[in-house]
């Protein structure tokens, strides 16, 4: 029920569907450019659920590994795990979407070139926060993000 209320709120916002179409077109354009670098590759899907068929699972696995090293999680699908799936949120910020697609493009380029290590510095986790022996005290009650729905 909460998910339905959230979706209902988003879909009622003016321009929401236009923004989804804009993001979908951006994904499609980036995937078309990436596909030109992979012999025989083809696009699959539509809207914000698109993928790139790289023809074999070994290539898909190499791309996933290289993308992960850059801080991007990409999954595969298809009978041989040969389709790289792009499943970004409908409301993803455009700069973040462009950054993710650029990371994917770099991972594909490295995989096609046969590189097993990324040609750019790999993603590094930040240093862990210092551990304190004092418990953290939270004084604020968490804010409700969605309206409370009455059941009945």
């Amino acid at each position: 029920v909460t998910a339905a209320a959230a979706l209902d709120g988003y879909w009622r916002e003016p321009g929401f569907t236009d923004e989804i179409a804009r993001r979908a077109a951006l994904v499609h354009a980036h995937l078309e450019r990436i596909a030109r670098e992979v012999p025989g590759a083809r696009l699959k899907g539509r809207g914000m659920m698109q993928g790139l068929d790289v023809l074999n699972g070994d290539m898909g696995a190499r791309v996933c590994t290289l993308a992960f090293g850059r801080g991007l999680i990409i999954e595969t699908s298809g009978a041989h795990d040969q389709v790289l799936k792009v499943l970004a949120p409908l409301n993803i910020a455009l700069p973040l979407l462009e950054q993710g697609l650029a990371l994917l493009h770099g991972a594909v380029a490295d995989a096609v070139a046969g590189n097993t290590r990324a040609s750019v510095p790999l993603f590094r986790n930040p240093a862990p926060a210092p551990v304190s022996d004092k418990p953290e005290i939270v004084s604020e009650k968490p804010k409700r993000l969605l309206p409370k729905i009455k059941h009945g």
Side-chain angles (χ1 to χ4, degrees):
V1 175
T2 303
L7 283 174
D8 187 43
Y10 275 119
W11 289 109
R12 288 179 192 244
E13 287 184 28
F16 184 62
T17 55
D18 294 337
E19 287 300 313
I20 293 171
R22 182 176 172 198
R23 284 165 177 76
L26 180 71
V27 170
H28 187 82
H30 274 270
L31 289 178
E32 278 185 328
R33 282 194 293 276
I34 295 169
R36 286 187 220 124
E37 297 183 21
V38 182
R42 24 179 228 266
L43 302 183
K44 298 208 166 226
R46 61 180 165 199
M48 289 296 288
M49 296 174 63
Q50 297 186 50
L52 179 65
D53 187 334
V54 294
L55 305 179
N56 71 68
D58 291 338
M59 174 66 78
R62 282 196 307 270
V63 171
C64 287
T65 299
L66 290 165
F68 187 77
R70 289 171 161 83
L72 179 69
I73 297 174
I74 288 289
E75 294 182 341
T76 58
S77 63
H80 306 286
D81 290 327
Q82 78 281 6
V83 180
L84 304 168
K85 298 188 294 186
V86 177
L87 302 170
L90 298 179
N91 62 345
I92 187 171
L94 286 172
L96 186 58
L97 180 58
E98 289 172 341
Q99 180 184 10
L101 292 167
L103 292 171
L104 176 60
H105 195 160
V108 170
D110 279 344
V112 169
N115 298 334
T116 55
R117 302 184 87 173
S119 60
V120 296
L122 298 179
F123 174 77
R124 298 283 186 241
N125 286 327
V131 177
S132 171
D133 57 352
K134 296 179 185 176
E136 182 180 348
I137 299 173
V138 178
S139 60
E140 280 187 32
K141 183 178 177 184
K143 293 180 177 70
R144 181 174 290 280
L145 299 176
L146 298 172
K148 194 168 191 174
I149 297 175
K150 294 179 184 178
H151 301 282

